[in-house]
Amino acid sequence: MITARLLRASGGPAFAIGLVAVAVLVLLANLALPPDSPFYVPGYAVSLMGKYLCYALLALAIDLVWGYVGILSLGHGAFFALGGYAMGMYLMRQIGPRGVYGNPVLPDFMVFLNWPQLPWYWHGFDQFWFAALMVLLVPGALAFVFGWFAFRSRVSGVYLSIITQAMTYALLLAFFRNDMGFGGNNGLTDFKDLLGFSLQADATRAGLFLATAIALAAAFLMCRAITRSRFGKVMIAIRDAESRTRFLGYRVESYKLVVFTLSAMMAGVAGALYVPQVGIINPGEFAPANSIEAVIWVAVGGRGTLVGPIIGAVTVNLGKTVFTNLLPEFWLFALGGLFILVTLVLPKGIVGAVQAAAWRYRRERPSRRAAEVAPEALAETPR
């Protein structure tokens, strides 16, 4: 049944297959071509594109709640960081005696801070399946508890946005503390391998890039199936007329809670894929500015389109890479100006503007044809 919905989603399978196909071509250009080839893609570019795809997955998660339910979350960076920390804890446990202090159990920062033993919440992270489960459960549990109280209290609009931002800022302050057991200000780093594969090897980086592309494609298809289902129609109804939807008998709070939790889990997966590709996770990922920047990606690409957030995340971060190399001190001003420009000129984003233009063209096409045919018909009319 789910497969049938995915196949009926017009353009969905084609976009997902195209995304994975492009990723495969990039990997072939990295692994199969010699470095002197004009089509060779260096390893650092593969890691950089993998980071962009992780951001695209985070933007897609935000679009699911903002574009289709109307929940403007300014705290999704917290779910992204929690997923990253879960994966980072697994990678730290894999270092073992290869660390600076040679302790087979305690990570280096715990040895440095004189921790007597491994905290209870670190147990189990020596197993990949447990870490993968925590990548989903930890952000999902936080989103569920937060949403349970917020949505049942009917907190919405700007008030909900402020609360989500306060949540991620509180986590930022908590993870900065050394006694939390997550590396404090320095975070988790110096990772060695993943599932026995060296993170410094080109093949491992290529595999992570492909895994990220596949995860993004799968998440895109899942979101498309959800938004085009009956459940998705109710989501859109909540976004456009929440009080009327509640009056019709729908449990609006339950719908919001389910979508918010699912979105947080998607953000957690994005964070987990991000960490082994960049090699570090620290409390800075909880910064409220990161969540705000992710919302800008969605706005630039076009919220409520699914494709738009992916395009927006890749486009903005590519521009950030180029701009910060040229004028790093002016990037934040450029980002703010971009958001203002999109809000005033392209309120529906890049994809929304293209869709609107295509719709106007299709609607006006019959009238243009009629205008072209009318003179010919009058000329052929016998006098």
Side-chain angles (χ1 to χ4, degrees), residues 17 22 26 41 60 62 73 83 86 124 140 190 275 281 285 311 351 353 374 379:
I17 294 173
V22 170
V26 171
V41 178
L60 183 63
I62 295 175
S73 171
D190 194 29
V275 168
I281 178 71
E285 297 297 336
I311 295 176
V351 174

Side-chain angles (χ1 to χ4, degrees), residues 114-281:
N114 297 319
W115 283 67
Q117 60 185 5
L118 194 70
W120 63 269
Y121 46 84
W122 274 77
H123 290 287
F125 280 96
D126 55 334
Q127 302 293 326
F128 179 79
W129 67 267
F130 182 83
L133 187 62
M134 292 300 105
V135 165
L136 296 173
L137 288 184
V138 173
L142 176 62
F144 183 85
V145 173
F146 177 88
W148 176 273
F149 290 103
F151 299 141
R152 293 188 177 275
S153 300
R154 298 193 179 182
V155 180
S156 60
V158 66
Y159 302 103
L160 182 63
S161 300
I162 293 173
I163 293 175
T164 56
Q165 194 172 44
M167 174 190 67
T168 189
Y169 188 68
L171 289 171
L172 168 69
L173 297 178
F175 274 74
F176 260 120
R177 297 170 58 92
N178 286 326
D179 56 3
M180 283 288 290
F182 295 107
N185 183 40
N186 296 324
L188 309 178
T189 187
D190 194 29
F191 308 132
K192 305 296 184 182
D193 49 44
L194 173 65
L195 293 174
F197 299 97
S198 173
L199 291 175
Q200 307 304 320
D202 290 339
T204 305
R205 293 177 179 176
L208 286 169
F209 172 71
L210 181 60
T212 306
I214 293 174
L216 178 59
F220 172 79
L221 290 176
M222 179 188 69
C223 292
R224 197 169 184 87
I226 291 173
T227 55
R228 291 185 168 236
S229 65
R230 181 179 177 181
F231 186 92
K233 302 304 180 185
V234 179
M235 289 166 50
I236 296 174
I238 294 172
R239 178 196 66 188
D240 295 339
E242 179 176 336
S243 58
R244 187 175 300 178
T245 306
R246 182 179 285 109
F247 179 76
L248 292 174
Y250 290 98
R251 296 180 62 87
V252 171
E253 296 78 12
S254 299
Y255 280 87
K256 285 186 174 182
L257 184 61
V258 170
V259 178
F260 191 70
T261 304
L262 177 62
S263 175
M265 295 168 74
M266 290 172 56
V269 172
L273 291 168
Y274 172 84
V275 168
Q277 296 185 80
V278 300
I280 188 172
I281 178 71

